[in-house]
Amino acid sequence: MGSSIAVLIPCYNEAVTIAKVVDDFHRELPEATVYVYDNNSTDDTAEIARAHGAVVRREPRQGKGNVVRQMFRDVEADCYLMVDGDDTYPAEAARGLCQPILEGEADMTVGDRLSNGSYAEENKRAFHGFGNDLVRFMIKAIYGYGFEDVMTGYRAFSRTFVKTFPVLSDGFQIETELSIHAVDRRWRILDVPIEYRDRPEGSESKLSTVSDGAKVILAIASLFKNYRPLKFFSLVALLLGLVGLALGLPVVAEFLRTGLVPRLPTAVLAVAFVFLCGLSFATGLILDNVAKTERKQWELAVYRETERSQRR
């Protein structure tokens, strides 16, 4: 029995492009099942997708992260190919993204729009390139792994990855969450260069550069706290300790020189910052042990899911 492929397409008001997207993936992956998850569209996205042979399901909770959560729960396959319904990603690259997953060479493949310069040439939305570079820099600084393209919506996953991935985001932060989870859990990641094209005439982006960008930055900070609590709270402790020293050293120097503490409020404030420094570091130590225990449980869940996948 051959390996099964599921093409997952989260959609919100993509009536202009969804027919072409579904047809393209049916052509390139005729053995795959194409799923379109309609996220409260107010146009004919669902009807058009169904007419072109897609399996259409509805997700009433608004937000791409909510759609991905439900897709990952519902769909059974050996390889999951996730792509946006806006016709910006080439179906011709689908086989190249799925093959490393099916051959057991990768757990997540990433459709890299940046390496060949196609994103810079085609993308007409201000600051999106800058935002992608900023997120790449932050993940590299925190986790030590350099993604070529963090924010791409074109990815393929193994069954074990999908069934053990805890979706926490509800919106467009999902791509960042997928990237950080893959790096932190040491999944095998492979970048696959693709040609990017901008949305066709009449198709509008749902992204807000400022608000969604801010949500992505906050998501990185939150995931950093959850996945690497000791490092996160150690940095907070360092900042608090430096403030405490800056306030307290002049007071200590004056006491050593005169035997007096004339600036008592400053001394109390300095002690408070040093106390918070110690508290932050202790919090990091405690949560680090919690995170390690959770990681062990997750590793065992991965083993169990791997065994189930092998029995399929």
Side-chain angles (χ1 to χ4, degrees):
M1 183 176 178
S3 300
S4 58
I5 301 174
V7 179
L8 307 178
I9 310 176
C11 279
Y12 173 64
N13 288 347
E14 300 291 3
V16 174
T17 56
I18 191 60
K20 182 177 183 300
V21 172
V22 172
D23 290 345
D24 285 352
F25 280 94
H26 275 146
R27 182 189 69 243
E28 296 298 326
L29 295 173
E31 73 276 26
T33 303
V34 178
Y35 296 87
V36 170
Y37 272 69
D38 179 45
N39 194 203
N40 300 318
S41 295
T42 56
D43 59 14
D44 297 328
T45 295
E47 291 77 9
I48 295 171
R50 190 176 291 109
H52 283 258
V55 176
V56 177
R57 294 175 179 171
R58 181 173 178 270
E59 172 49 52
R61 295 167 296 180
Q62 196 67 41
K64 188 174 181 179
N66 290 324
V67 179
V68 171
R69 179 184 297 108
Q70 199 60 43
M71 291 192 303
F72 284 4
R73 289 177 180 176
D74 290 348
V75 178
E76 298 291 335
D78 297 303
C79 175
Y80 298 76
L81 180 67
M82 187 172 74
V83 64
D84 293 339
D86 55 9
D87 194 31
T88 57
Y89 298 107
E92 293 77 10
R95 188 74 62 183
L97 285 164
C98 292
Q99 207 62 36
I101 302 294
L102 295 173
E103 293 177 356
E105 297 174 357
D107 300 294
M108 180 177 77
T109 55
V110 181
D112 167 23
R113 307 164 295 176
L114 304 181
S115 294
N116 58 19
S118 61
Y119 186 74
E121 293 174 4
E122 291 288 327
N123 177 49
K124 299 179 177 62
R125 286 160 286 181
F127 300 112
H128 280 212
F130 169 77
N132 204 330
D133 290 340
L134 177 61
V135 173
R136 287 170 62 203
F137 169 79
M138 292 179 70
I139 293 178
K140 175 71 173 177
I142 295 171
Y143 295 96
Y145 183 90
F147 276 95
E148 295 297 334
D149 188 356
V150 176
M151 306 301 292
T152 178
Y154 201 13
R155 302 166 187 254
F157 313 95
S158 67
R159 174 185 169 80
T160 306
F161 183 103
V162 164
K163 295 304 181 181
T164 60
F165 172 56
V167 180
L168 303 177
S169 304
D170 58 3
F172 282 105
Q173 313 95 298
I174 185 64
E175 280 91 1
T176 304
E177 185 180 349
L178 283 164
S179 299
I180 291 176
H181 174 78
V183 172
D184 184 78
R185 296 313 199 213
R186 297 183 176 89
W187 289 107
R188 296 167 298 173
I189 306 166
L190 180 65
D191 290 307
V192 178
I194 63 168
E195 293 290 332
Y196 175 85
R197 52 180 178 255
D198 204 13
R199 283 174 171 268
E201 190 71 28
S203 177
E204 296 182 1
S205 173
K206 315 306 184 297
L207 277 171
S208 169
T209 302
V210 176
S211 63
D212 286 316
K215 289 177 183 178
V216 167
I217 300 299
L218 291 174
I220 293 174
S222 178
L223 291 168
F224 180 28
K225 172 179 64 68
N226 293 339
Y227 284 146
R228 303 285 177 89
L230 181 58
K231 190 173 183 179
F232 178 85
F233 283 101
S234 292
L235 291 174
V236 174
L238 177 62
L239 178 61
L240 292 169
L242 290 174
V243 174
L245 287 174
L247 291 170
L249 286 177
V251 176
V252 172
E254 190 169 1
F255 174 76
L256 293 175
R257 189 176 64 253
T258 66
L260 300 173
V261 184
R263 292 185 291 173
L264 185 59
T266 303
V268 171
L269 187 60
V271 170
F273 272 100
V274 173
F275 173 77
L276 290 174
C277 167
L279 182 61
S280 178
F281 184 68
T283 301
L285 289 173
I286 294 169
L287 292 180
D288 187 59
N289 285 327
V290 174
K292 286 179 179 177
T293 300
E294 187 275 333
R295 183 184 291 270
K296 291 176 184 177
Q297 296 301 317
W298 176 84
E299 289 283 358
L300 293 174
V302 170
Y303 295 150
R304 290 192 294 269
E305 186 56 47
T306 301
E307 290 178 357
R308 280 196 291 266
S309 297
Q310 291 171 348
R311 291 197 296 265
R312 277 169 53 86

